[in-house]
Amino acid sequence: MNGQIRNDWSREEIQAIYDKPLLELVYEAATVHRNWHKPSEIQVCTLLSVKTGGCPEDCSYCGQAARYHTDIKVQALLPTEKVLEHAQKAKDGGSSRFCMAAAWREVRDNKDFDRVIEMVKGVNDLGLEVCCTLGMLTEEQAIRLQEAGLYAYNHNLDTSESYYDEIISTRKFDQRLDTINNVRKAGITVCSGGIIGLGETPADRVSMLATLATMPVHPESVPVNALARVKGTPLENNPKVPLWDMVRMIATARIIMPAAVVRLSAGRIEMTEEEQAWCFMAGANSIFTGERETLLVTPNPGLSEDMQMFQNLGLKPLVKENKSACSVV
């Protein structure tokens, strides 16, 4: 398989790829990866929670849902100046992409959204790819973000359409697709992936990948997240996601969406350096970092630890040249 861009994948084809013998699967994914990307370059992205907690949704995995009793403290929208300080620090640390996350169900046309627009403009002026994840979005709101310099919008599918209602009841799967379509129509690149370890079956994982791979245009960015088991959430006692499940997801995503940046996202804190190396070999070419060794509100390796891993593995941060505008999960 040479890694052609296709949008007509069947679930049966994707399932057959996912089920291949592991070493054969990784070899094929690594071959596709080398045809489309520089395997030694990993995009370093920094994710900052600009508004934390208090979300009215009931996503079973999320510690920011107001209805769950977690140790996460609610934090109002950060001042723009503070966000830009974080962005500059991220750039100085080797990040080429800066993503701002707000624990909202949906974007509302109010002063808080006006402030996010100013944040987008400011981060864009720093020469970083600027990304946001703010919940549901109308086409008009997406256009405002695009005009401010937004490069990418993150809106994960989370899981398959058939399993979705087991994880979230306050929003429909189709609403996620509507937001992605609004982002596309506004000319913003799409960042969309999912989470494994929610209790889904391998068929659910394949179904989620099929939804992404049969979009008219593949997401430019596909985060693959392992469930971060947050105490106080309904899924806090789920088992740890096995490494080989992550490797299979990453390799399959790489083969069926060869041009995408596949992001090794949540769950890295529970992976050894050797386990992360398997994910890079399978086609992952991006990681997320966060200040204070957190990814939004869950633990994450520190930047210095990541840079040491890069040195050990012969990897280097992707450097974006002459970039004036961001493209995980």
Side-chain angles (χ1 to χ4, degrees), residues 260-280:
V261 175
V262 178
R263 303 190 185 278
L264 175 57
S265 303
R268 286 200 304 121
I269 191 66
E270 295 191 87
M271 290 184 179
T272 65
E273 188 173 287
E274 292 82 1
E275 289 174 329
Q276 292 180 72
W278 270 100
C279 294
F280 297 134

Side-chain angles (χ1 to χ4, degrees), residues 93-202:
S95 289
S96 59
R97 177 176 177 136
F98 189 78
C99 190
M100 297 174 284
W104 293 332
R105 168 179 164 78
E106 60 201 343
V107 173
R108 299 187 183 278
D109 295 309
N110 56 22
K111 290 182 179 178
D112 279 352
F113 186 42
D114 293 340
R115 285 172 57 194
V116 170
I117 293 293
E118 292 305 312
M119 294 174 191
V120 170
K121 290 178 180 176
V123 175
N124 186 53
D125 288 343
L126 292 175
L128 289 161
E129 289 186 352
V130 55
C131 177
C132 283
T133 179
L134 312 169
M136 291 185 288
L137 195 68
T138 67
E139 185 179 353
E140 292 74 22
Q141 291 163 342
I143 289 170
R144 280 195 68 192
L145 287 164
Q146 189 275 335
E147 290 173 344
L150 191 73
Y151 182 76
Y153 195 82
N154 167 260
H155 204 63
N156 289 333
L157 298 181
D158 288 346
T159 189
S160 70
E161 183 173 9
S162 61
Y163 194 64
Y164 188 82
D165 290 346
E166 299 294 321
I167 301 301
I168 304 161
S169 70
T170 51
R171 193 191 309 190
K172 297 298 181 186
F173 189 81
D174 283 348
Q175 290 177 296
R176 292 197 177 266
L177 298 179
D178 289 343
T179 291
I180 291 171
N181 288 334
N182 291 335
V183 168
R184 275 276 176 238
K185 287 186 282 187
I188 299 168
T189 65
V190 171
C191 175
S192 187
I195 307 168
I196 65 173
L198 303 175
E200 77 289 341
T201 65

